[in-house]
C-alpha cells in the first residue's frame, strides 16, 4: 500500500514537471476553494455564485477548442477542489486520479449526457460527478425541430442556390420538399428532450406520433390524446399515438425520425446500414443527441444512394470531424453542435433549492441540503439524491 502511494506521488510529480503553461483568467484570487473551469461559459452569474461562496475561480482562456488530457492535468495542478469540464473531454482514470491527488472531490460536466465520463473511475476516487438534466430540454428540442424543417423544406439548398445568384424566376418544381402536416413523427428515446420535441411536432404540425422507449411515456401519451380530442372538438382530424415494441417499427412507419437516446454500448451505431435500409425512401432523420448513435459512414452511403432521403445533424461520430463525403451531400443539413446555444432564460428543472446559496454543498462539515444538484453517482458516494 505504501509503495503504491509513493508511486502515485511520483507520477504526480512527473506530470507536474511535464505540464505546459496554460493561460487562465482568475476571479477572487484569495478564495478558499480552488475551482477550475476548462472553458469560459455564457454569462457571469455562475462566476458570482462561486466567488460569493469563497471560491478562487480559474477559467481556461486557451484558444484551443478541445483540451487534451495533458492540458487539463496542467490546469488541475497541485491543488484543485473542483472542476467544471466539457463533454468534449475524456474524463477517465487519468484525469480523476490527477484530480484526486490535487484534493478534488467534485467534477461537473456541462452537459446533460455524460458518455465522456467514466463514472466507475470517479467512484473509485470518491469524486462526485454532476450533469445538467432539464436545463437544455427546450433548447435542444427546438434545434431538432429546426433541423427537421430545414431538411424537410430543403432550406439550406435553397439558401445556397439563392446566394449563388442562380435564381432567375419562380418554377413549380423548384426545391420541392416534404410537407410535415398530417405525417408521422417517430421518436427513439422519449425522455425529457424527446418528449418535448414530440409535443412541438405533434401540436405544431398536427403529426401523428410513434415512439420507442424502454419505459412508457404516460405523460406524453396523455398530451397527444388530449390534443387529439381538442382537434376533434374543432371538427379536425385527431392526431394519434402509438408506442412501438421495437426500434424497427418506428423506422418503418415514421416519415420523420428524431433520435434522443442516451449513448451507451446498447445505442452505439443504433442506426446502421441495415436499419437505414428499412426507413422510407423520403424519410427525414434527425440527430441532436450523440454522434456515435449513427454509423456515419453507413449514413453517407445511404444519402448518396437515396437523394430524397434527408438528414439533419447537430452531432457527429468523430466530432468535431465529419466522415468523408458527408459535407458534400446536399440532402444533409449539418450544424456544429449548437443545440444548447440559445439566448434568454433557460426554463428547466431546478437542480438546487436555492441557487444563490452554495455553502451547504461546498462546506463538507455542514449538514447537506435536502436535495443535491444532479449527481449521477450520488447513491454510490452516499450523497443525498435529489427528488427534484
Amino acid at each position: 500500500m505504501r509503495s503504491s502511494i509513493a508511486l502515485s506521488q511520483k507520477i504526480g510529480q512527473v506530470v507536474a514537471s511535464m505540464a505546459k503553461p496554460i493561460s487562465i483568467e482568475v476571479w477572487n484570487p484569495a478564495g478558499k476553494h480552488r475551482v477550475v473551469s476548462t472553458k469560459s461559459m455564457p454569462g457571469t452569474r455562475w462566476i458570482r455564485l462561486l466567488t460569493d461562496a469563497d471560491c478562487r475561480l480559474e477559467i481556461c482562456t486557451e484558444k484551443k477548442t478541445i483540451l487534451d488530457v495533458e492540458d487539463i492535468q496542467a490546469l488541475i495542478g497541485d491543488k484543485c477542489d473542483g472542476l467544471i469540464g466539457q463533454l468534449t473531454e475524456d474524463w477517465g482514470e487519468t484525469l480523476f486520479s490527477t484530480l484526486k491527488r490535487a484534493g478534488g472531490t467534485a467534477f461537473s460536466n456541462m452537459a446533460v449526457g455524460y458518455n465522456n465520463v467514466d463514472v466507475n473511475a470517479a467512484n473509485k476516487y470518491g469524486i462526485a460527478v454532476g450533469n445538467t438534466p432539464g436545463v437544455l430540454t427546450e433548447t435542444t428540442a427546438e434545434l431538432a425541430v429546426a433541423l427537421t424543417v430545414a431538411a424537410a423544406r430543403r432550406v439550406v439548398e435553397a439558401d445556397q442556390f439563392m446566394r449563388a445568384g442562380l435564381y432567375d424566376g419562380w418554377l413549380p418544381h423548384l426545391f420541392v420538399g416534404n410537407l410535415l402536416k398530417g405525417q408521422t413523427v417517430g421518436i427513439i428515446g422519449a425522455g425529457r428532450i424527446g418528449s418535448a420535441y414530440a409535443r412541438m411536432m405533434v401540436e405544431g404540425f398536427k403529426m401523428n406520433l410513434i415512439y420507442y422507449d424502454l419505459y412508457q411515456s404516460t405523460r406524453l401519451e396523455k398530451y397527444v390524446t388530449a390534443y387529439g380530442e381538442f382537434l376533434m372538438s374543432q371538427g379536425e382530424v385527431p392526431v394519434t399515438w402509438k408506442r412501438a415494441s421495437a426500434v424497427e417499427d418506428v423506422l418503418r412507419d415514421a416519415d420523420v425520425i428524431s433520435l434522443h437516446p442516451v449513448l451507451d454500448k446498447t445505442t452505439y451505431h443504433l442506426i446502421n446500414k441495415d436499419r437505414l435500409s428499412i426507413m422510407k425512401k423520403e424519410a427525414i432523420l434527425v440527430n441532436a443527441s450523440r454522434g456515435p448513435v449513427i454509423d456515419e459512414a453507413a449514413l453517407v452511403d445511404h444519402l448518396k444512394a437515396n437523394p430524397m432521403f434527408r438528414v439533419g445533424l447537430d452531432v457527429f461520430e468523430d466530432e468535431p470531424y465529419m466522415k468523408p463525403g458527408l459535407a458534400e451531400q446536399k440532402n444533409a443539413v449539418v450544424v456544429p453542435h449548437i443545440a444548447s446555444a440559445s439566448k434568454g432564460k433557460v426554463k428547466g428543472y431546478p437542480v438546487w433549492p436555492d441557487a444563490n446559496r452554495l455553502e451547504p454543498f461546498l462546506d463538507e462539515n455542514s449538514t447537506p441540503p435536502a436535495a443535491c444538484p444532479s449527481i449521477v453517482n450520488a447513491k454510490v458516494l452516499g450523497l443525498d439524491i435529489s427528488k427534484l
Side-chain angles (χ1 to χ4, degrees), residues 79-83 96 98-106 125-127:
K79 181 184 182 299
C80 182
D81 297 291
L83 189 142
F96 281 122
T98 302
L99 184 57
K100 181 66 175 180
R101 282 194 298 270
T105 57
Y125 293 104
I127 295 175

Side-chain angles (χ1 to χ4, degrees), residues 150-309:
R153 300 308 301 267
R154 303 175 67 181
V155 172
V156 175
E157 290 179 78
D159 177 87
Q160 293 172 343
F161 180 86
M162 196 74 186
R163 292 175 190 274
L166 299 175
Y167 180 60
D168 55 10
W170 180 85
L171 291 170
H173 55 73
L174 190 62
F175 294 108
V176 174
N178 295 14
L179 184 69
L180 296 174
K181 183 179 183 295
Q183 301 300 305
T184 298
V185 60
I187 309 297
I188 298 177
R192 290 171 179 161
I193 297 173
S195 291
Y197 171 85
R199 292 193 299 270
M200 292 175 189
M201 298 301 293
V202 168
E203 189 170 359
F205 301 97
K206 298 177 182 176
M207 299 184 78
N208 298 310
L209 170 69
I210 181 171
Y211 79 93
Y212 173 80
D213 197 288
L214 295 176
Y215 304 96
Q216 183 175 9
S217 183
T218 305
R219 185 177 180 184
L220 178 59
E221 293 172 0
K222 289 180 177 178
Y223 182 94
V224 178
T225 299
Y227 184 57
E229 292 171 351
F230 168 76
L231 290 176
M232 285 185 67
S233 72
Q234 302 300 305
E236 298 189 51
V237 177
V239 292
T240 63
W241 63 265
K242 175 184 176 182
R243 183 187 177 195
S245 59
V247 169
E248 286 76 10
D249 295 335
V250 176
L251 301 181
R252 288 191 189 95
D253 294 349
D255 301 288
V256 175
I257 298 99
S258 191
L259 306 175
H260 301 280
V262 297
L263 175 61
D264 57 27
K265 61 183 180 181
T266 68
T267 58
Y268 176 79
H269 282 188
L270 178 72
I271 304 301
N272 53 27
K273 179 180 178 180
D274 292 339
R275 282 178 165 158
L276 285 165
S277 69
I278 66 176
M279 295 173 66
K280 295 181 179 181
K281 294 298 183 182
E282 295 189 9
I284 296 166
L285 177 65
V286 174
N287 188 16
S289 60
R290 288 292 183 264
V293 168
I294 298 178
D295 180 344
E296 204 168 293
L299 176 62
V300 172
D301 291 340
H302 192 75
L303 289 168
K304 290 178 180 178
N306 299 275
M308 297 309 293
F309 182 93

Side-chain angles (χ1 to χ4, degrees), residues 50-214:
L50 288 169
T51 55
D52 285 353
D54 200 17
C55 291
R56 172 192 169 98
L57 174 62
E58 298 183 10
I59 304 171
C60 178
T61 56
E62 288 286 312
K63 298 299 183 184
K64 201 172 180 180
T65 302
I66 300 177
L67 300 181
D68 55 35
V69 170
E70 290 75 20
D71 294 327
I72 298 172
Q73 285 181 305
L75 282 169
I76 292 171
D78 296 327
K79 181 184 182 299
C80 182
D81 297 291
L83 189 142
I84 303 169
Q86 307 295 319
L87 59 87
T88 53
E89 300 159 3
D90 182 15
W91 276 85
E93 173 77 23
T94 301
L95 286 180
F96 281 122
S97 63
T98 302
L99 184 57
K100 181 66 175 180
R101 282 194 298 270
T105 57
F107 166 74
S108 183
N109 204 42
M110 189 191 166
V112 177
Y114 48 93
N115 55 283
N116 61 308
V117 180
D118 183 345
V119 178
N120 289 330
N123 293 339
K124 176 181 175 181
Y125 293 104
I127 295 175
V129 175
N131 69 330
T132 61
V135 297
L136 301 180
T137 298
E138 283 78 17
T139 183
T140 305
E142 285 183 8
L143 193 278
V145 171
L147 288 172
T148 303
V149 176
R153 300 308 301 267
R154 303 175 67 181
V155 172
V156 175
E157 290 179 78
D159 177 87
Q160 293 172 343
F161 180 86
M162 196 74 186
R163 292 175 190 274
L166 299 175
Y167 180 60
D168 55 10
W170 180 85
L171 291 170
H173 55 73
L174 190 62
F175 294 108
V176 174
N178 295 14
L179 184 69
L180 296 174
K181 183 179 183 295
Q183 301 300 305
T184 298
V185 60
I187 309 297
I188 298 177
R192 290 171 179 161
I193 297 173
S195 291
Y197 171 85
R199 292 193 299 270
M200 292 175 189
M201 298 301 293
V202 168
E203 189 170 359
F205 301 97
K206 298 177 182 176
M207 299 184 78
N208 298 310
L209 170 69
I210 181 171
Y211 79 93
Y212 173 80
D213 197 288
L214 295 176

